[in-house]
Structure formats: structure tokens, C-alpha cells
Amino acid sequence: MKNKISIIGGGNMGTAILSGIQRKFAVSICEKDAKRGQYLKKKFKVAVDDVQSVVTKSGVIILAVKPQDFDQILAEVRPFINKDKLVISIAAGIPTLYIEKRLGAKVRVIRTMPNLPAQIGEGMTGICKGKWASSADLSLACKIFNNIGQTVIVEEKWIDAITAVSGSGPAYVFLFVECFIKAARALGFDEKQSKQLVAQTIHGSLNLLESQNEEAGVLRSRVTSKGGTTQAAMDVFFRRDIEGIFVEALTAAQHRAKQLSK
Ligand SMILES: NC(=O)c1ccc[n+]([C@@H]2O[C@H](COP(=O)([O-])OP(=O)(O)OC[C@H]3O[C@@H](n4cnc5c(N)ncnc54)[C@H](OP(=O)(O)O)[C@@H]3O)[C@@H](O)[C@H]2O)c1
């Protein structure tokens, strides 16, 4: 029999998870916004119901609401949670201990940190377990999140660092693309040409990296002949300490994740 999973919160992330897992699991969803609920019901042919119904019927409950709605959702699900249920949270900054305390004794909790490309099945999700969850629970969580990309199991102390690398990471990539396009425009290309030149360069380079089984540095050196054009650009990047900028930025993100943690 298919595992029964309920998703509470049908926003960006809840919908991404729903769309990835609906063919493999029996999924029901709970969504506060009735219009959105109807849309999800129609689009994905899933059961949309209230908290009590979806939690009672499911063995796995995925909490996919914003951190500011989290206390309320914990209070709502608490009466229907027991040790037979596995609770999976995707909320940023909310530790397993916080959830365990609010849901009562020995509740099995898994905490995850997915990222935005989950929306197209290309996500990267960090997964850790709370005190009462088992390694079988971790495996089940991986099985679920592998449907929206890749997963990595870590101890909870690493989740802030995961947030800094892969959680926030898509924004670093988008920033890089923005800067690259602006620089192409500064050389005189129009918007359309700049976008095409940059997008295909990035697409091709990433595919090359993936297919060649070589370190990025090795491939970079293949494009960079001594005293040539690429070298001139690399000299600017390194003079401005691109490596240092990355370390500083990721450290700041990790620090902020720690600060925001409940
Ligand atoms: N977006 C990302 O890149 C990302 C990455 C990693 C982790 N996360 C985590 O994922 C979680 C969800 O983020 P999101 O971007 O998907 O947020 P979102 O689009 O706002 O989705 C949350 C959904 O839950 C609904 N909701 C709120 N309270 C509810 C309740 N009591 N019962 C049922 N439904 C309820 C909201 O409805 P209303 O709009 O009507 O309130 C909304 O549709 C957050 O905790 C965030 O930290 C997000």
C-alpha cells in the first residue's frame, strides 16, 4: 500500500513537494486559503481537507507553512499526533527540539532544508532527525524528498550551514547571472543577446562540468591560456578577492540562520 502523506500548507514549497510525490504516495493536503485549496485539488487531483482529517488519515505529516505560522500549526496538529506519526518540517530556523516540545512526548520529528529548484524536481534538501525519529524515518524522508531532487543526511548542527550553502544558494546563482548579463550589456549587446549568450554559456559549462568528471578548477584552466583574454578577466576576479567574498557571504548567511533559529 502507498504511504499516506499529508502536506499542511500548499504554498510554493508545499506544492513543489506535492507535485513531486503525488504519483508515488497517497497525498492529501490542508491549505488555509480555500481558493488555493480548490486550485490544488483540481490541478493535482488530491484530497484537500482540514487539519484533523488529513493528519488522522496519514502516517507522515509534512509541515510546509511559513515560520511565522508555525506555532499555530503545531497547536492545531498536536491533538492528532502520536508516536505512530512521522512529522517532517521544512520550516527554516525551527529546531527539532522546539517541535518535539510543542507536540508532546516522544514524537518522531525530521527537519529538512529544501531549496527553490525543488519546484522543477531539481532541489537539494538537507535532512536531519530529532531525538525520537529512527534511521528508518530518515530513509523514508530521503525517499520522499528524492522525488524533488537530491538529498543529503546531516546532523542537526549542520542545518544552518546547509541553509547558507544550498538553501540560500539559488540566490547566489541568480545574482551571478544578473551581474553577468549586466556586464554583457555594458559591452554593448542588447538584452536579448546578452541573456542568450550568458544563459547558454552557463548551461553548457555546467553540463560540461557534469559530464567530464573533472574538477571545476581543471576545466577553468583549460579555458585560461597564460596571458590571454580569460586570464585578464580572472586577474580582475582574484584581485577583487572573489574567493574571500564567497566565504564572507556564506558565513554571513550561516550566522543569520543561527540568529533566526528559535
Ligand atoms: N521558498 C523557499 O525557497 C524555501 C526554502 C527552504 C525552506 N522553505 C520553508 O518552506 C516553508 C514554506 O515556505 P513557502 O515559500 O512555501 O511559503 P508559502 O508559499 O507562504 O506557503 C505556505 C502556505 O501555507 C498556508 N498556511 C498557513 N497557515 C496554515 C494553516 N494553519 N493551515 C493550512 N495552511 C496554512 C499558507 O496560506 P496563506 O497564504 O493563506 O497564509 C500558504 O499557502 C517555510 O517554513 C520556509 O521556511 C522555503
Side-chain angles (χ1 to χ4, degrees):
M1 200 186 80
K2 288 205 275 188
N3 265 302
K4 286 196 173 164
I5 297 179
S6 58
I7 300 172
I8 301 186
N12 295 311
M13 276 294 158
T15 305
I17 296 169
L18 171 64
S19 135
I21 69 175
Q22 55 150 359
R23 269 180 218 98
K24 304 225 174 111
F25 300 91
V27 189
S28 55
I29 195 149
C30 172
E31 166 57 47
K32 196 169 69 172
D33 177 346
K35 231 169 128 190
R36 174 99 190 145
Q38 282 312 307
Y39 161 79
L40 295 172
K41 188 175 184 169
K42 211 168 151 200
K43 175 152 192 213
F44 296 99
K45 314 252 175 311
V46 282
V48 179
D49 222 325
D50 58 22
V51 167
Q52 176 171 1
S53 309
V54 299
V55 175
T56 312
K57 283 184 209 141
S58 310
V60 179
I61 294 101
I62 300 178
L63 303 177
V65 301
K66 290 267 189 215
Q68 62 267 26
D69 293 325
F70 217 73
D71 282 341
Q72 193 202 327
I73 210 65
L74 289 176
E76 280 182 48
V77 300
R78 186 187 160 109
F80 318 109
I81 296 286
N82 54 48
K83 64 177 175 33
D84 296 329
K85 312 270 183 197
L86 174 63
V87 175
I88 301 181
S89 162
I90 66 163
I94 302 187
T96 55
L97 185 62
Y98 185 92
I99 301 169
E100 287 161 355
K101 275 190 179 158
R102 272 150 194 84
L103 289 184
K106 301 195 178 180
V107 168
R108 291 149 57 215
V109 177
I110 296 276
R111 178 180 175 193
T112 68
M113 174 45 64
N115 69 4
L116 198 60
Q119 289 184 335
I120 53 157
E122 292 278 1
M124 180 71 240
T125 304
I127 300 184
C128 69
K129 71 181 200 66
K131 191 168 175 191
W132 309 109
S134 64
S135 44
D137 293 332
L138 267 180
S139 302
L140 177 57
C142 285
K143 211 172 136 196
I144 294 169
F145 283 83
N146 279 338
N147 289 293
I148 53 164
Q150 294 186 19
T151 51
V152 58
I153 295 175
V154 292
E155 284 177 45
E156 191 161 12
K157 65 178 181 192
W158 290 103
I159 287 283
D160 291 332
I162 292 267
T163 306
V165 178
S166 52
S168 302
Y172 316 152
V173 176
F174 300 141
L175 174 66
F176 175 80
V177 173
E178 281 177 76
C179 293
F180 204 163
I181 290 173
K182 273 187 192 155
R185 293 220 58 186
L187 296 187
F189 295 107
D190 66 22
E191 183 78 14
K192 194 172 164 222
Q193 284 173 322
S194 303
K195 279 185 179 163
Q196 185 188 359
L197 288 166
V198 169
Q200 179 54 23
T201 300
I202 292 174
H203 181 75
S205 306
L206 288 179
N207 279 346
L208 187 69
L209 184 63
E210 220 161 75
S211 65
Q212 298 252 311
N213 199 25
E214 291 272 25
E215 294 296 324
V218 171
L219 291 183
R220 174 163 62 84
S221 68
R222 264 186 219 153
V223 193
T224 317
S225 35
K226 233 185 176 155
T229 59
T230 315
Q231 181 70 59
M234 290 298 144
D235 287 349
V236 175
F237 284 129
F238 285 108
R239 200 167 61 237
R240 298 288 187 99
D241 192 20
I242 184 150
E243 286 176 326
I245 290 172
F246 263 88
V247 173
E248 196 181 329
L250 268 68
T251 306
Q254 182 189 31
H255 179 67
R256 186 68 183 139
K258 275 198 174 74
Q259 270 180 344
L260 291 174
S261 201
K262 289 217 185 206

